[in-house]
Amino acid sequence: MTPPSGLAWTWSGAARGLVLALPSVVTTLAVDPRTGLALAVGVLPSAALGVKTSHRDRSVLFGVGVLAGLSLWLGSLVASLPVLAVVLVLGLSIGVAWLVAVSGRPMARLALMLGLPLYGAGLSAEAPSTALAGASLMVAGAVYAMAVSWAWPGGNAPADPGGPAPGARGSTAPSRRGMLVYGAQVGLAGAVAAACGFAMGVDHPGWGATAAMLVSRPDPHALRARAWGRGLSVLAGGVVAAAIISMQPAAGVVAAALAVLLAVGTGLAGSRWYVFPFFSTVVVLSLLGIGAPTTAEHWLVERVALTLLGVALALGSGWVVPRLAERVNSSLAG
């Protein structure tokens, strides 16, 4: 169900966010901020998904972690082969969309919503070994989040910001042909964004592809809502992260910031406005910038620029692909 207002706050969600933040906070204080931030990245997907009502649905969180980790690692394996990496974005998008159409299973929808974007993130990994370490953290974060959800009362799973996910129960699910068109829409936006990232020679060529695939939805209204939400959230999150990086804060400050970010982000995860990217951007950019030689301004410009590129491509693909598919269908019918 869509929340009645743009921002929807739940104290239960905020409390769960604090519990999810505990390993990151303890590690930040006991080891170092970068390791703590890396652990926080691992629980971000689970924090965004909320808590389902049934224990069976809550167990899906483990599948989310495995799916996210495998997608990240797969992207890293082809990151050194730009042509193959770009072609795979399109092929995987159409293939997963077809799987959603024929099965309708929750994991297939999560693969479309989360797996494909994290494949894009894997294109930015320094090496497969680095991505494998990140994937391990995501799986560990998912195991911990699943254990927390089993002990958590009730359910506060958020609605999809900007509208229901493609193929979700309770939504006006696209037909099989519609899902294939949507797969082509997502794939085209992600592939062009990845190609642009590789061509520009940026440090993280997959960021634009990730943004394009996270924003994409078959419904034009949902697509526009997510485009505005992600663009503004990433811009604001990048500014906050740049301020944090410029201070190079002590471990205690980083630990407190992580607790606040995960608590507030999880508390607001059910909002109709797409605000969660603000919190994920602060965590990810802080991980890249704290204790690193690269300036905060570098990460801010790259993150924001590639996000806006991905958003623009998602909007363009969402306008072009359905119309082109309709013309082809009309021609074949005639």
Side-chain angles (χ1 to χ4, degrees), residues 134-284:
S136 300
L137 289 175
M138 286 186 174
V139 173
V143 171
Y144 175 65
M146 182 177 66
V148 171
S149 71
W150 278 345
W152 210 258
N156 67 331
D160 181 57
R169 295 174 185 173
S171 68
T172 305
S175 63
R176 184 171 299 188
R177 172 183 168 275
M179 283 304 303
L180 291 175
V181 171
Y182 174 63
Q185 172 188 326
V186 176
L188 179 63
V192 174
C196 290
F198 283 120
M200 290 187 292
V202 294
D203 292 320
H204 291 82
W207 275 354
T210 297
M213 292 186 283
L214 282 172
V215 163
S216 292
R217 286 293 183 270
D219 176 66
H221 173 73
L223 171 59
R224 289 192 295 270
R226 291 178 71 84
W228 277 105
R230 187 164 190 89
L232 294 174
S233 294
V234 168
L235 176 60
V239 171
V240 172
I244 292 174
I245 294 170
S246 65
M247 293 186 294
Q248 292 294 314
V253 176
V254 175
L258 280 175
V260 171
L261 286 168
L262 284 172
V264 177
T266 310
L268 291 173
S271 299
R272 180 162 50 88
W273 291 349
Y274 191 25
V275 296
F276 197 81
F278 167 83
F279 304 95
S280 59
T281 294
V282 175
V283 174
V284 170

